[in-house]
Amino acid sequence: MDKGLHFMFCVIATMLLLRESSQTGEKNDLKMLAASKSGFGIDSRGPEEGLPTLTVTTILEDPYVMVRSAELEGYCIDLLKALAAMLHFSYKVKVVSDGQYGAISSNGNWTGMVGEILRQEADIAVAPLTVTSAREEVVSFTTPFLQTGIGILLRKDTASHEMSFFHFLAPFSKETWTGLLFAYVLTCFCLFLVARLSPCEWNEPKNEENHFTFLNSLWFGAGALALQGVTPRPKALSVRVIAAVWWLFTIALLAAYIANFTALLSSGSEQLPIQTFEDLVKQRKLEFGTLDGSSTFYFFKNSKNPIHQMIYEYMDKRRDRVLVKTYQEAVQRVMESNYAFIGESISQDLAAARHCNLIRAPEVIGARGFGIATTQASLWTKKLSIAVLKLRESGDLDYLRNKWWETSCLHKSRDRWSPLQPQALGGLFLTLAIGLALGVIAAVVELSNKSRHAAGHVKKSCCSVFTEEMCTRLRIKENTRQSQETSGRANA
């Protein structure tokens, strides 16, 4: 009986111990799960024993910081993780309360992320925060992790204009068309000259009319440009050399024209009428503005450039209508109205990558960079700067740039189409020039050979016969007209 009671007591004690152990394990699992979650105001990297914890302020802006499934992700979050791994610190991410980057308010206090650092509500700011002199006076910045500038974001249908009446001339530049016209006239003149000098083109220069008159030579060159066979057909070797070189020139030229014209039509993009900020000021179709209180706004305010001053005065007078509060609002307004947004070029490149009907104008001004802001005299400033440089040297920053700026749009407008310049056809024009020179030399050689044979029969010097032959061939029309007048008088 005692053994039975003792066995029952052992069984009950064992079951109680197992139950307590199971409950303890479940509690520990729940604690670990809660500690692993991140979000607003929660450690993105849990505090580890012996590691300092930094409070990081940031701002929600695609693709730098975004909310996905109650967690933060983006370029700046990936950068922060890489910096924490290199410098061995943990961090706590919080979104700036007023949604501002940082500017001086009317009462003299700083707003946004800069203000939170000054009030010691955050240790560092990891965000697309532009390094400016005004901000540098109150906080410290690390080496920029992204380089950018100020650009103009437009909607394609508002930025494009109708095709011109002479749009078919667009594949070549004005210089190329001028060079083509000069090459055409020069080649036709060489054909005319060489056909007159060459003995093989006619037998009796005094009695026979040459087929390659200047007008016929122009017609022959035009027919080659259109890939059409025209008469007269060349007989002499010198004339055939010039004709063959001109045919080669026209084939290559037409191939270049057709290829460039096809690229122009397939690109579907005209040369933007708004190329620069000066173009933006001169036009009246689009309103334009920037983020209220941003570094871009103060850039135009402090600039001494007359064009920049005009942009600032325009935005300042219409600040209630043209200034926007957030970047998302700016992009939405560009897409839905006749509005041009002036802002960071790198952010505009992202908008053009995400929205295929948007485009950024070519000109970028005010080169600047995004840096990590810290309190002045902070020991973290130099450490973070060195870490950013190491990430740049290792290619990690380029990897993050490509990762978060990936586009699904086939942006043909990014490969800016431009008219074909003469430099691209320099070899073709040189080949034509060499062919013309060879043709003229061949005609002179042919005429010299005939003059040498003729000099032996008439017992004159070769030079005098050569000169007579050349004068006769170049003045054949005048001699023919005189002979016709003489025969007409004799008949009378």
Side-chain angles (χ1 to χ4, degrees), residues 41-66:
I42 299 178
D43 290 354
S44 291
R45 176 178 176 177
E48 299 180 16
E49 186 177 356
L51 294 182
T53 301
L54 300 180
T55 301
V56 181
T57 180
T58 188
I59 192 169
L60 294 178
E61 182 176 329
D62 188 7
Y64 303 99
V65 180
M66 301 172 290

Side-chain angles (χ1 to χ4, degrees), residues 286-329:
L286 301 177
E287 291 184 324
F288 54 89
T290 186
L291 290 174
D292 189 10
S294 64
S295 60
T296 301
F297 181 81
Y298 289 100
F299 169 83
F300 289 101
K301 179 179 180 180
N302 301 325
S303 176
K304 303 301 181 183
N305 189 304
I307 300 297
H308 299 170
Q309 279 295 309
M310 294 173 64
I311 293 176
Y312 168 72
E313 292 174 1
Y314 175 90
M315 294 189 298
D316 189 51
K317 291 179 181 178
R318 303 166 177 81
R319 61 168 53 240
D320 294 335
R321 191 166 76 250
V322 300
L323 297 184
V324 294
K325 299 297 182 183
T326 63
Y327 177 76
Q328 289 77 10
E329 179 187 350

Side-chain angles (χ1 to χ4, degrees), residues 476-487:
I476 187 64
K477 287 188 175 181
E478 180 181 354
N479 295 337
T480 302
R481 191 182 301 111
Q482 291 178 355
S483 62
Q484 289 176 353
E485 292 177 357
T486 303
S487 61

Side-chain angles (χ1 to χ4, degrees), residues 442-487:
V444 172
V445 171
E446 291 172 350
L447 185 59
S448 299
N449 291 333
K450 182 178 181 181
S451 300
R452 189 180 299 111
H453 292 297
H457 294 290
V458 299
K459 297 181 180 180
K460 292 183 179 180
S461 65
C462 181
C463 292
S464 60
V465 173
F466 179 81
T467 304
E468 291 177 1
E469 288 284 343
M470 182 174 291
C471 293
T472 302
R473 295 172 189 279
L474 294 180
R475 298 176 182 177
I476 187 64
K477 287 188 175 181
E478 180 181 354
N479 295 337
T480 302
R481 191 182 301 111
Q482 291 178 355
S483 62
Q484 289 176 353
E485 292 177 357
T486 303
S487 61

Side-chain angles (χ1 to χ4, degrees), residues 13-27:
T14 303
M15 292 178 65
L16 290 174
L17 290 174
L18 290 174
R19 182 179 179 184
E20 182 178 358
S21 176
S22 176
Q23 291 177 348
T24 303
E26 290 179 359
K27 291 180 180 179

Side-chain angles (χ1 to χ4, degrees), residues 4 27 34 36 64 91 111 137 176 193 237 262 279 284 312 350 355 388 407-408 421:
K27 291 180 180 179
S36 64
Y64 303 99
Y91 54 85
T111 62
E137 290 179 356
T176 304
L193 178 64
L237 175 63
T262 303
D279 298 335
R284 294 293 180 267
Y312 168 72
L350 175 71
H355 307 282
V388 169
T407 177
S408 58
Q421 299 296 326

Side-chain angles (χ1 to χ4, degrees), residues 106-267:
S106 57
N107 57 11
N109 296 325
W110 280 85
T111 62
M113 292 177 284
V114 177
E116 290 190 350
I117 292 178
L118 292 177
R119 294 189 297 269
Q120 296 184 353
E121 297 175 6
D123 298 310
I124 62 174
V126 182
L129 187 62
T130 306
V131 181
T132 64
S133 59
R135 291 170 179 169
E136 189 73 53
E137 290 179 356
V138 294
V139 297
S140 296
F141 281 96
T142 64
T143 300
F145 56 86
L146 268 180
Q147 297 294 334
T148 182
I150 300 176
I152 307 171
L153 185 66
L154 307 160
R155 197 171 72 248
K156 285 184 178 180
D157 56 353
T158 60
S160 61
H161 57 76
E162 296 180 356
M163 291 185 179
S164 63
F165 189 72
F166 295 98
H167 188 64
F168 68 93
L169 298 176
F172 289 164
S173 65
K174 295 179 181 179
E175 294 79 7
T176 304
W177 284 115
T178 303
L180 173 59
L181 179 61
F182 178 77
Y184 167 70
V185 174
L186 180 61
T187 302
C188 294
F189 176 77
C190 289
L191 277 173
F192 165 73
L193 178 64
V194 169
R196 285 188 170 274
L197 294 180
S198 176
C200 300
E201 282 300 325
W202 48 14
N203 296 323
E204 296 293 336
K206 295 182 179 180
N207 301 323
E208 184 183 356
E209 180 69 23
N210 190 285
H211 295 294
F212 274 96
T213 63
F214 188 68
L215 291 178
N216 286 345
S217 299
L218 291 174
W219 182 245
F220 183 89
L225 277 173
L227 299 181
Q228 302 296 318
V230 295
T231 55
R233 299 183 183 277
K235 300 177 182 177
L237 175 63
S238 55
V239 182
R240 290 180 177 180
V241 168
I242 293 179
V245 173
W246 177 245
W247 291 337
L248 176 64
F249 177 85
T250 55
I251 291 175
L253 190 74
L254 287 173
Y257 176 85
I258 294 172
N260 213 31
F261 193 61
T262 303
L264 171 62
L265 295 179
S266 61
S267 66

